Amino acid sequence: MKILKYSTFLLTCILSVYTSAQDVTLVKVVEESEAPMISKHIYGHFSEHLGRCIYGGLYVGEESVVPNTAGVRNDIIDALKELQIPNLRWPGGCFADTYHWKDGVGPKDERPTMVNRWWGGVTEDNSFGTHDFLNLCETLGAEPYLAANVGSSTVKEFTEYVEYVLHEGGSPMAEWRKENGREEPWNVKYWGVGNEMWGCGGNMTAEHYADVYRQYATFMTDWTNSDGLFRIASGANVDDYHWTEVLMRDVPKHLIEGVALHSYSFVEWNEKGSSIDYSEEQYFSTMKTALKMDTLVTKHSAIMDKYDPDNTIALVVDEWGGWYEVMEGTNPGFLYQQNTMRDAMIAGTTLNIFNNHAERVKMANLAQTVNVLQAVVLTEGEKMLLTPTYHVMKMYNVHQDAKLLPVEFNSPTYKFEGEELPAISVSASKNESGTVHVSLVNIDAHKKHNINLSLEGLGVKRLSGIILTSDNLQDYNSFETPGAIQPKEFSTIKVKKGIAEVELPPFSVLVLKGE
């Protein structure tokens, strides 16, 4: 795999002679003045009213024996602060297009209930609503991303939501907000105009949704008079390039700031397989779908480039992650799964893809934050643990709002039963203080790979690193052994003649820091 070729013939010759007797991957990191910034919002998260993500996960209620702040678990608040999450998407997902926001404000004991038709048919009591979510985002220092109802709502209900959240005062919705205990508006910038409109949002055609989107977006007003709303259109399902084509062609630029994309990683045949008891065949297949993200982003970006050559509209991958069978004995509609080193591989490679496409990809949201799909946090009663995915996201947060450093390399292959995948994934950045970070992933289930890293011209005097690895691909953190997998210092770095030599163990994630 080659990314943004910049190496000189001379350097290539030198490196080739130096490493000719070794099985190595040559990686060159360069500084390019035209390279984009890696938006911190690529490292966003997603919390839906699904299973135990909100109730029994994030939110336990103020009367819970679990230490909490306004009903939200303190241990999760602390964990997400450590993760430096830049934004949080809510309330869905499919749930968003059946959610009527007025049911979730006002006195909790007066709020109506509803049945969550999408996820398990459970009764939703609306005790966690807009105030709870937006106040949580303030506590976390994260930007809220409201996915608002288009599928079963009206323009009036939608625009009243915007007014409730953003208007300072003197309007009916602003005064109602004040009666409900919030004097100042929340200044929410990011708004999803519906969710999966090709499916659970209404099974619409792209052409029909484009017209619906134009209608809703027209009536959205930025009452705070700040830098404007960031309106995100419900985008394509995986490789539905026609959907992106229609939105870019039919929606005027002044009505749209972002186009979404949803793609999950899974076993390619009908059986999704266990999240912990999987074969190498299932692992290989899952990584194949994960690595397709690069193709998806490339092709959707090419369509967007045709209509938006100035790159004013963002590609927003607001649902991504691994999707397997639920854990045995749990509600099939709750999508609760464990999180192994396979998930760390998905997280590392996907984030590298987003980083390397930072010119167009300006936002993304891992699905989901707690107890659902590829979660970063799992809970069980009063217990809480951090998953391998959490650790990768934390290791990678050094790239947030740093400048992309293009990389060039030819990856060795991970071979399985006659098929091949690139084994190595890399991205790099340089922050304002001049510190360089290089993220490397080896997805090979068996082979270690030697990396020769050239940082010529970047002013790096010393290198340090942190690595996430384990003895077995299927290893995970359990409530009995919550610290089984966690990052460790990586000290086996050799520097010779300006080349850093590192050895990547099988299924490992390494982040190097150059100062």
Side-chain angles (χ1 to χ4, degrees):
M1 178 176 64
K2 293 184 178 180
I3 300 177
L4 300 177
K5 186 174 182 179
Y6 288 90
S7 64
T8 64
F9 176 75
L10 179 60
L11 178 63
T12 301
C13 290
I14 292 172
L15 292 177
S16 297
V17 170
Y18 176 69
T19 60
S20 58
Q22 306 176 57
D23 181 15
V24 299
T25 298
L26 311 177
V27 177
K28 186 185 179 192
V29 181
V30 300
E31 191 162 17
E32 169 56 50
S33 60
E34 300 301 317
M37 301 294 288
I38 299 172
S39 172
K40 66 180 181 180
H41 290 293
I42 284 173
Y43 291 82
H45 293 262
F46 172 33
S47 54
E48 183 171 4
H49 285 241
L50 195 174
R52 294 192 298 114
C53 182
I54 302 296
Y55 303 112
L58 274 171
Y59 186 75
V60 292
E62 296 181 28
E63 304 303 318
S64 174
V65 296
V66 178
N68 66 86
T69 298
V72 179
R73 293 179 65 128
N74 289 340
D75 50 6
I76 292 181
I77 289 174
D78 292 341
L80 297 183
K81 282 183 176 180
E82 283 287 320
L83 207 54
Q84 297 178 22
I85 70 169
N87 68 74
L88 185 59
R89 182 174 180 244
W90 175 88
C94 289
F95 182 81
D97 279 293
T98 54
Y99 182 68
H100 298 278
W101 68 271
K102 292 180 181 179
D103 293 343
V105 300
K108 292 182 186 287
D109 59 357
E110 297 178 11
R111 297 179 188 179
T113 61
M114 63 176 287
V115 174
N116 190 335
R117 69 181 301 272
W118 297 111
W119 306 117
V122 297
T123 299
E124 161 73 50
D125 68 1
N126 283 305
S127 57
F128 187 90
T130 296
H131 288 250
D132 304 276
F133 172 69
L134 296 181
N135 291 340
L136 169 62
C137 288
E138 284 188 335
T139 299
L140 296 174
E143 293 264 14
Y145 171 12
L146 289 175
N149 186 348
V150 168
S152 65
S153 181
T154 63
V155 172
K156 182 176 185 292
E157 181 181 355
F158 193 112
T159 55
E160 284 181 337
Y161 199 14
V162 177
E163 180 185 323
Y164 186 90
V165 170
L166 297 180
H167 201 283
E168 291 187 357
S171 74
M173 293 299 104
E175 294 308 309
W176 190 28
R177 181 192 70 236
K178 293 180 180 183
E179 290 174 14
N180 290 330
R182 174 74 182 197
E183 184 68 24
E184 299 297 324
W186 284 281
N187 194 24
V188 175
K189 179 177 181 178
Y190 297 99
W191 292 82
V193 185
N195 169 79
E196 295 191 355
M197 306 309 292
W198 37 262
C200 59
N203 284 303
M204 298 180 185
T205 63
E207 290 77 7
H208 178 65
Y209 173 63
D211 284 340
V212 171
Y213 174 88
R214 290 165 63 131
Q215 179 187 16
Y216 276 72
T218 297
F219 289 95
M220 296 176 69
T221 303
D222 180 25
W223 295 105
T224 59
N225 296 312
S226 58
D227 58 349
L229 299 181
F230 197 100
R231 296 160 295 186
I232 301 168
S234 173
N237 180 27
V238 194
D239 58 356
D240 185 353
Y241 302 114
H242 174 73
W243 191 278
T244 301
E245 182 92 32
V246 170
L247 289 180
M248 295 301 297
R249 183 193 68 205
D250 292 355
V251 177
K253 283 187 180 181
H254 71 277
L255 290 178
I256 188 170
E257 286 71 42
V259 173
L261 169 65
H262 289 182
S263 182
Y264 287 91
S265 305
F266 51 84
V267 178
E268 290 183 297
W269 51 91
N270 288 335
E271 295 293 327
K272 289 189 174 74
S274 168
S275 61
I276 54 174
D277 185 21
Y278 51 88
S279 65
E280 185 176 357
E281 181 182 23
Q282 290 171 314
Y283 168 68
F284 189 93
S285 180
T286 305
M287 292 312 303
K288 186 191 297 186
T289 61
L291 291 172
K292 282 181 181 177
M293 183 66 79
D294 188 68
T295 299
L296 296 175
V297 169
T298 299
K299 291 187 175 181
H300 284 290
S301 295
I303 295 168
M304 297 177 74
D305 290 345
K306 183 168 62 172
Y307 296 96
D308 179 36
D310 297 328
N311 197 28
T312 61
I313 301 172
L315 181 59
V316 179
V317 190
D318 57 15
E319 287 189 30
W320 67 272
W323 194 322
Y324 322 115
E325 299 292 346
V326 302
M327 289 293 286
E328 186 175 352
T330 65
N331 188 322
F334 283 11
L335 305 187
Y336 177 78
Q337 58 190 43
Q338 250 294 353
N339 198 290
T340 69
M341 286 300 298
R342 171 173 63 175
D343 298 284
M345 298 301 98
I346 293 172
T349 55
T350 302
L351 291 171
N352 282 342
I353 291 168
F354 293 160
N355 287 348
N356 287 318
H357 285 278
E359 185 173 10
R360 182 63 74 174
V361 180
K362 300 295 178 63
M363 190 172 186
N365 300 82
L366 174 68
Q368 294 185 12
T369 312
V370 185
N371 290 333
V372 172
L373 297 177
Q374 193 173 337
V376 293
V377 172
L378 300 179
T379 66
E380 185 179 271
E382 297 182 42
K383 298 178 182 178
M384 186 272 280
L385 65 80
L386 307 177
T387 68
T389 298
Y390 175 95
H391 294 306
V392 173
M393 297 287 284
K394 184 177 178 182
M395 291 165 65
Y396 272 51
N397 66 22
V398 294
H399 294 301
Q400 293 186 17
D401 285 344
K403 188 174 183 179
L404 176 70
L405 295 176
V407 297
E408 179 191 354
F409 66 101
N410 292 306
S411 176
T413 56
Y414 165 34
K415 300 178 182 179
F416 179 78
E417 294 187 349
E419 291 192 85
E420 296 182 353
L421 292 173
I424 304 299
S425 170
V426 186
S427 70
S429 69
K430 188 174 187 178
N431 65 22
E432 287 184 348
S433 66
T435 303
V436 171
H437 291 98
V438 183
S439 299
L440 305 105
V441 182
N442 176 17
I443 68 167
D444 199 307
H446 304 288
K447 286 183 62 177
K448 65 182 181 181
H449 287 284
N450 296 310
I451 307 294
N452 279 3
L453 183 67
S454 171
L455 298 169
E456 184 182 23
L458 294 177
V460 172
K461 305 297 184 186
R462 58 185 179 273
L463 276 175
S464 58
I466 185 168
I467 191 167
L468 189 76
T469 188
S470 193
D471 293 336
N472 301 293
L473 186 59
Q474 292 82 3
D475 287 347
Y476 59 90
N477 290 334
S478 69
F479 292 103
E480 291 70 37
T481 57
I485 301 173
Q486 54 186 322
K488 298 178 181 178
E489 181 181 354
F490 184 79
S491 56
T492 55
I493 305 172
K494 299 177 182 178
V495 180
K496 296 180 180 179
K497 300 179 182 180
I499 303 297
E501 300 177 1
V502 298
E503 182 181 281
L504 274 180
F507 50 93
S508 63
V509 180
L510 171 65
V511 176
L512 295 175
K513 179 181 181 180
E515 298 175 288

